């Protein structure tokens, strides 16, 4: 490149100096040194806050948009979620944007009950069955489903929590096998991404909202192990700890639906 000299117009010399300053500034920002591992007291405080967030929610209602992206295709639908913590039950209703029902999914403890309106089938089975694990891109794990419904990480049972680098906490079992890895937002205890090691999926959280002392992400992303499928839940409305009738966690197939046992 031809060096600048006195014959170069002044505005070009000033522009060149500005570009150099901006580029060196960007280089400094991009090469920010990694933060040190979190201390034991910091880890304990973050874990405690996550458990408090979980135990403070007994019921929830949420509505929003569900988007599924796979191999260049994109599909959107409306979603309604109702959940209660004790006894553990989650109901998910997925409908077309114009109101036609697609799927009604009920998870009642270990029991799975699905109404597929496009197929006119009533599926029944249990979470974790080998058939489901082979057929679905995302495993229907109870803690994973609760994290999705709660829009905030629900921690599985673990033996040890450690931090090998800043902004990251790893949960492991008694055999020192990793169960879950939580990436935090910089200078914050808020979850940015949660890796479910055994299930082979990652869940991201963003656009946080606070309702009273309860925090939830208005956008939750879920990707499979190969990053070929992405599910995004955008929450428009979330209501915590309102009474939920038991009838919402019961469903019967319409007349003419085929019964299929998983």
């Amino acid at each position: 490149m031809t060096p600048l000299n006195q014959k170069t117009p002044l505005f070009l010399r000033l522009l060149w100096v500005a570009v150099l300053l901006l580029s060196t500034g960007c280089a400094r920002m991009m090469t920010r040194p990694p933060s040190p591992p979190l201390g034991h007291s910091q880890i304990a405080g973050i874990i405690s806050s996550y458990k408090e967030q979980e135990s403070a929610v007994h019921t929830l209602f949420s509505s929003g948009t569900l988007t599924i992206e796979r191999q260049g295709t994109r599909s959107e639908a409306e979603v309604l979620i109702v959940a209660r913590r004790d006894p553990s039950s989650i109901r998910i209703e997925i409908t077309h944007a114009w109101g036609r029902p697609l799927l009604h999914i009920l998870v009642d403890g270990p029991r799975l009950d699905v109404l597929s309106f496009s197929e006119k089938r009533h599926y029944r089975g249990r979470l974790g069955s080998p058939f489901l694990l082979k057929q679905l891109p995302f495993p229907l794990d109870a803690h994973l489903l609760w994290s999705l419904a709660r829009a905030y990480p629900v921690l599985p049972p673990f033996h040890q929590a450690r931090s090998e680098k800043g902004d990251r906490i790893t949960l492991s079992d008694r055999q020192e096998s990793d169960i879950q890895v939580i990436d935090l937002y910089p200078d914050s205890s808020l979850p940015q991404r949660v890796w479910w090691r055994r299930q082979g999926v990652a869940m991201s959280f963003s656009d946080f909202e606070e309702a009273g002392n309860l925090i939830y992400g208005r956008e939750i992303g879920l990707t499979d192990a190969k990053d070929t499928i992405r599910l995004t839940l955008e929450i428009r409305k979330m209501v915590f700890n309102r009474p939920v009738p038991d009838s919402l966690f019961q469903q019967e197939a319409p007349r003419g639906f085929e019964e299929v046992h998983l």
Side-chain angles (χ1 to χ4, degrees):
M1 180 177 294
T2 304
L4 298 180
N5 52 47
Q6 295 301 322
K7 294 183 180 181
T8 305
L10 177 61
F11 81 93
L12 287 179
R13 280 185 277 160
L14 293 176
L15 180 60
W16 181 252
V17 171
V19 169
L20 288 176
L21 289 175
L22 287 173
S23 63
T24 55
C26 291
R28 283 195 295 269
M29 287 188 291
M30 293 178 64
T31 57
R32 176 184 177 184
S35 54
L38 300 171
H40 293 296
S41 60
Q42 291 175 294
I43 296 174
I46 293 171
I47 294 296
S48 177
S49 68
Y50 281 29
K51 289 183 176 180
E52 288 175 3
Q53 286 291 320
E54 178 185 353
S55 62
V57 174
H58 304 285
T59 64
L60 65 86
F61 294 82
S62 72
S63 60
T65 303
L66 187 68
T67 304
I68 300 178
E69 298 170 87
R70 180 176 185 176
Q71 297 178 348
T73 63
R74 177 185 174 95
S75 303
E76 287 190 4
E78 295 297 299
V79 63
L80 172 68
I81 300 176
V82 185
R84 66 182 176 192
R85 191 162 60 89
D86 188 20
S88 178
S89 302
I90 301 174
R91 181 182 181 89
I92 303 173
E93 296 186 1
I94 302 173
T95 63
H96 278 295
W98 55 87
R100 179 185 174 186
L102 289 173
L103 289 172
H104 287 183
I105 304 170
L106 175 62
V107 179
D108 188 9
R111 184 172 61 89
L112 175 66
D113 193 292
V114 180
L115 294 177
S116 175
F117 289 86
S118 59
E119 298 177 299
K120 291 189 176 182
R121 286 184 172 182
H122 184 195
Y123 294 96
R124 291 183 175 183
R126 298 178 68 84
L127 295 180
S129 71
F131 177 81
L132 284 176
L133 293 176
K134 292 179 180 179
Q135 298 298 320
L136 299 177
F138 304 113
L140 294 180
D141 177 272
H143 291 96
L144 189 149
L145 285 174
W146 254 106
S147 294
L148 183 66
R150 172 62 179 82
Y152 205 79
V154 174
L155 305 183
F158 67 94
H159 177 66
Q160 183 182 28
R162 68 182 190 278
S163 176
E164 296 176 346
K165 69 174 186 176
D167 307 328
R168 171 171 286 190
I169 295 175
T170 301
L171 308 180
S172 57
D173 59 18
R174 291 184 180 275
Q175 287 72 41
E176 299 185 356
S177 296
D178 293 347
I179 303 172
Q180 192 178 82
V181 178
I182 306 169
D183 287 333
L184 308 173
Y185 281 95
D187 304 318
S188 169
S189 62
L190 292 174
Q192 183 176 33
R193 185 181 296 269
V194 175
W195 303 88
W196 302 76
R197 291 301 193 191
R198 292 175 179 172
Q199 291 82 359
V201 297
M203 187 178 293
S204 60
F205 302 86
S206 58
D207 192 14
F208 289 95
E209 188 85 8
E210 188 167 355
N213 62 341
L214 298 173
I215 304 171
Y216 68 95
R218 295 181 66 90
E219 182 171 316
I220 305 97
L222 187 64
T223 56
D224 64 338
K226 298 180 180 179
D227 201 22
T228 57
I229 303 175
R230 178 174 177 82
L231 181 151
T232 303
L233 174 61
E234 297 178 77
I235 297 175
R236 285 193 302 271
K237 185 176 182 180
M238 174 77 84
V239 179
F240 293 112
N241 296 332
R242 297 284 180 87
V244 178
D246 289 339
S247 59
L248 289 180
F249 301 107
Q250 301 171 4
Q251 67 179 10
E252 294 183 3
R255 181 176 298 178
F257 272 51
E258 177 188 357
E259 292 282 338
V260 179
H261 294 277
L262 302 176

